[in-house]
Amino acid sequence: MPHSSVSHLTQALADGAAHVIDLTQPLSETTPVLVLPEPFANTPHLSRRTLSKFDDAGPAWAWDVLELGEHTGTHLDAPIHWITGREREDVASIPPERLVGPIRVIDKTSEVASDPGYLLTAADLDAHEAEFGHVSPGSWILFRTGWGARATDEAAFLNAGKSGPVTPGPDVSGARWLAEHPHVVGFGVETVGIDAGAAGGFDPPFPVHNFLLGAGRYGLTQLANLEALPAVGGMLVVAPLKLVGGTGSPSRVLAFI
Ligand code: MN
C-alpha cells in the first residue's frame, strides 16, 4: 500500500472518497464577455478559424486558430492587469504553489436572489471566519452567489440596465479585507469580473482590482459549480496558460473535495 500524502489523495479519488469538481464554464463563441462603456476598448468573444478539417489543407487532421481575450470566459487576473499591480507578476511568473490551495466558500446565494447588486462587506467576511474558523495560509476565497445559473444567457449574466451593470461583488471594505488578510492568495467569483457591477462608481473605483491585484494577489472569474463545494475543506487547482507578459488567462479551474 502507498503511504505518501499524494498517494492517499490518488487512492481517495480512485475509491470515491474524494471527487474532482470542475469549476470552469464552457468556453465557446457564446461565452459572455465584459462590456465596458465608451470610450473604453472591449475584449472580443471567442472566435475561431479552421486551418484544416480532414480536407486538402490537412487530410487526416483537424485544427483551428483561436481569437479571444486574455480575460474571456473563466479566467485568472494577474497582478499586472491593474495599474496598482503593474510592477508585479505577469501570468507566467505566478509561482505554481500559489495556484493550488485551500478553498473557502462564502455563500450569499439567498441574499443575491433578492438583491442582485448585493455587496460583500468586511463584516460578512469576519462573520464567515467566526463561523468556520480562520482562513488558512494560501487560501482562495470563492464568492458563491448563484450567478453561474445565468452563464449561458449573456444579457442575464451581464444584467446591465440604464444605470449600468447590476451584479454582486465586494464593497470597498470587503475588497480591503481580501487584500489585507495575511492568508488570502486569491478571490474567485461567478460573475464576469471580480468587482461588483456598480464598482466603477466606488471610491476607489473597482476596489477589488485596485487592492487585491495591487497587493500581488489574484482574481478568478466566471466560476461554475460552486454549489458543489463545502464552505471549508476543498482544494483549488487553477491552470492558466503560462503566458509571458500576460495580464490574465483563460483557465481550467478544478476543485478536490
Ligand atoms: Mn479579468
Side-chain angles (χ1 to χ4, degrees), residues 71 75 77 81:
H71 299 255
H75 72 270
D77 284 355
H81 175 46

Side-chain angles (χ1 to χ4, degrees), residues 27 38 42 69 95 100 121 126 145 156-157 210 216:
L27 180 59
E38 292 285 340
N42 274 301
V100 178
T121 66
D126 283 336
T145 56
F157 191 72
N210 187 306

Side-chain angles (χ1 to χ4, degrees), residues 104 125-136 177 181 231-232:
R104 282 302 184 101
L125 291 155
D126 283 336
H128 174 87
E129 277 199 314
E131 182 174 1
F132 296 103
H134 288 295
V135 169
S136 46
W177 190 101
H181 194 292
V232 188

Side-chain angles (χ1 to χ4, degrees), residues 70-71 75-77 81 192-194 209 221 247-248:
E70 293 173 317
H71 299 255
H75 72 270
L76 177 135
D77 284 355
H81 175 46
V192 77
I194 54 177
H209 286 85
T221 71
T247 72

